[in-house]
Amino acid sequence: MLVIVGRIGRAHGIKGEVGLDVRTDEPDRRFADGAKLVTTTKPPRTLTVESSRWHSGRLLVKFEESPDRTAAELLRNLELQAEIGEDERPEDPDEYYDRELIGLSVRTTDGAEAGEVIDVIHLPSQDLLEIRRPAGNAVLVPLVEELVPEIDLDAKYVLVADRPGLLDPEGAEVVPTDGDSSE
């Protein structure tokens, strides 16, 4: 199965390196020397990692197919995918691939059926589970231990600690702010 692991950014230097917008929790594994990545273009291209290194908090990668800056600039904005086996798991037991979470049923900590995970959204600050509720609407739940205390892949469910307004936006508590003047 092909999974997106990054997007190529601008060229760095004159020797063909590019900066990467990393979209994997395992960049050292996915961008290891010799790794083969496939672009999402039609037709897809295979790029082979010649070397990679961290520089000022950014991953720089040199592909065998980009010998110089001119070739590297032509790669900009390409999305990269890695082949990941169906049974492969992340190295950290508390991490999950999106494909493992999508389709899991959702239950609340008090045992109520709450829907199904339909997507995982990755934001800079945190990841969100998109959950289709039994009524058909979708809600977003931050994928943090306080709100998602348990994920059981074998039993195929996610446990959500419901809070007012989390799974039912209509039930949100409205707290007046200092700027409200309803008098």
Side-chain angles (χ1 to χ4, degrees):
M1 163 180 271
L2 288 172
V3 175
I4 293 176
V5 294
R7 177 185 291 272
I8 298 175
R10 66 177 196 242
H12 178 85
I14 61 170
K15 297 182 180 179
E17 285 184 311
V18 292
L20 275 184
D21 173 17
V22 176
R23 299 204 182 148
T24 176
D25 291 335
E26 304 170 311
D28 295 330
R29 181 177 179 188
R30 300 295 168 211
F31 299 101
D33 295 0
K36 296 204 179 294
L37 303 168
V38 179
T39 65
T40 58
T41 57
K42 302 268 191 250
R45 273 178 76 184
T46 300
L47 298 174
T48 306
V49 176
E50 184 175 306
S51 63
S52 63
R53 65 187 176 100
W54 291 96
H55 175 70
S56 300
R58 196 170 124 207
L59 184 62
L60 299 178
V61 177
K62 168 91 170 83
F63 294 104
E64 291 177 5
E65 296 79 7
S66 65
D68 55 30
R69 183 179 184 92
T70 302
E73 287 173 345
L74 296 174
L75 301 176
R76 189 170 188 165
N77 293 323
L78 293 179
E79 284 188 315
L80 299 171
Q81 305 172 103
E83 181 68 40
I84 297 176
E86 289 291 329
D87 58 342
E88 187 176 333
R89 293 272 306 124
E91 292 174 355
D92 184 339
D94 291 329
E95 291 181 359
Y96 304 92
Y97 292 128
D98 294 359
R99 63 183 158 86
E100 295 176 297
L101 301 176
I102 295 171
L104 295 181
S105 66
V106 179
R107 302 179 197 161
T108 63
T109 51
D110 62 5
E113 289 297 320
E116 175 186 354
V117 177
I118 57 172
D119 200 4
V120 181
I121 300 168
H122 302 280
L123 300 176
S125 58
Q126 67 190 13
D127 296 335
L128 302 171
L129 293 179
E130 184 174 5
I131 298 171
R132 181 181 306 117
R133 300 283 288 136
N137 62 319
V139 295
L140 299 175
V141 174
L143 186 52
V144 294
E145 190 172 358
E146 182 180 318
L147 297 175
V148 184
E150 184 179 346
I151 297 173
D152 189 328
L153 296 178
D154 294 328
K156 299 186 183 318
Y157 74 87
V158 172
L159 200 61
V160 173
D162 196 12
R163 304 282 193 274
L166 183 64
L167 294 175
D168 180 14
E170 299 299 320
E173 295 177 3
V174 178
V175 179
T177 62
D178 291 338
D180 283 351
S181 57
S182 54
E183 296 175 29

